[in-house]
Amino acid sequence: MEETPRTIINDDPYSWDIAWCKNITPWDKDKPQPALRELIESNAVELPRGKDKSALVPGCGSGNDVAYLAAALGMSTVGVDVSEKAVEVAAERLKVTLMPKEAHGLVSFQAADFFTLKGQYDLVYDYTFLVAIPPNRRPDWGRQMAALVKRGGLLVTLAYPLADADKGWGPPWFLRTEHYDEVLRAEEWEKEINDVPLASEGEHVGRERMMVWRRK
């Protein structure tokens, strides 16, 4: 499994920028997550599509999933990361056409704190973002997701890495699927997808789960 580098201080979000500046990012991949591609191509859930729709990807890293969402769904997609260096890398990758040409004109990146974001989106995609924040901030994550996702919109959560029965930590934090249920209130959300991806690869096999929530 991708290890969290020692430069990451679990209660200091800006230590992620140090890792990006030092190019110590073993979690970063050069392609979108197979489980995300599977969700979109399967048509298992009705997804927002078109230029009049918008998506947000917090903790976007180098932006591969951001570009894929924009290209596959044809909608304006914003990638946000607390690391300014990560956003620089993502913007450069887009500039030199390492991302799908269909994403050009639909994608933007910004360095920002997720918990201070404003606005609403038709879709928010969380992959390894909840696991990257301290557990005492997870209720804030739940409240912020409820504020950011439009009514009728979707929260797509690809939970990874799920904790082994004999292991209590992530990296960087302990994560199980019920942790999402604990902070996404039932009166605000309806879970439409709760599946083990068939497309998982490598160390992701048996360690991730796709859950899609619709905002009531």
Side-chain angles (χ1 to χ4, degrees):
M1 184 178 64
E2 302 94 331
E3 295 183 356
T4 302
R6 293 181 181 180
T7 53
I8 299 301
I9 302 172
N10 285 341
D11 59 355
D12 179 8
Y14 294 99
S15 63
W16 293 95
D17 197 49
I18 297 173
W20 278 97
C21 288
K22 292 184 176 181
N23 197 29
I24 307 174
T25 56
W27 62 83
D28 186 52
K29 304 301 178 185
D30 60 359
K31 64 178 181 179
Q33 285 301 309
L36 176 62
R37 184 183 295 275
E38 176 187 312
L39 175 73
I40 292 177
E41 293 180 354
S42 70
N43 296 315
V45 64
E46 184 179 355
L47 296 166
R49 296 175 183 269
K51 293 182 179 179
D52 62 332
K53 304 297 183 182
S54 61
L56 170 71
V57 182
C60 68
S62 62
N64 292 300
D65 286 345
V66 180
Y68 175 70
L69 274 171
L73 300 177
M75 62 180 175
S76 174
T77 306
V78 181
V80 171
D81 204 288
V82 72
S83 167
E84 292 187 3
K85 182 60 176 179
V87 168
E88 290 177 10
V89 171
E92 182 62 23
R93 286 178 60 83
L94 183 65
K95 180 180 178 181
V96 299
T97 65
L98 292 177
M99 297 178 180
K101 64 179 182 180
E102 295 84 358
H104 289 238
L106 295 173
V107 169
S108 62
F109 297 102
Q110 67 181 83
D113 180 351
F114 166 79
F115 295 101
T116 66
L117 294 177
K118 304 296 182 183
Q120 289 194 308
Y121 299 85
D122 298 284
L123 185 151
V124 177
Y125 171 62
D126 181 314
Y127 165 64
T128 66
F129 183 66
L130 181 64
V131 75
I133 62 177
N136 63 4
R137 298 225 66 185
R138 288 176 179 175
D140 296 332
W141 174 94
R143 286 187 286 269
Q144 180 69 331
M145 287 300 185
L148 291 171
V149 178
K150 295 178 180 179
R151 292 191 178 276
L154 295 179
L155 170 59
V156 177
T157 59
L158 178 54
Y160 175 84
L162 296 175
D164 292 323
D166 60 347
K167 184 180 179 183
W169 297 95
W173 297 103
F174 180 68
L175 182 69
R176 287 188 173 156
T177 56
E178 55 262 36
H179 295 154
Y180 294 84
D181 296 280
E182 291 169 0
V183 294
L184 295 173
R185 302 195 313 174
E187 61 267 30
E188 293 181 322
W189 300 94
E190 180 179 355
K191 190 188 295 183
E192 295 196 351
I193 299 288
N194 184 16
D195 293 332
V196 175
L198 298 176
S200 298
E201 297 178 350
E203 294 183 349
H204 284 238
V205 175
R207 301 296 308 282
E208 64 184 358
R209 195 170 191 92
M210 178 63 77
M211 295 177 288
V212 179
W213 314 74
R214 190 172 297 278
R215 181 83 162 85
K216 293 181 180 179

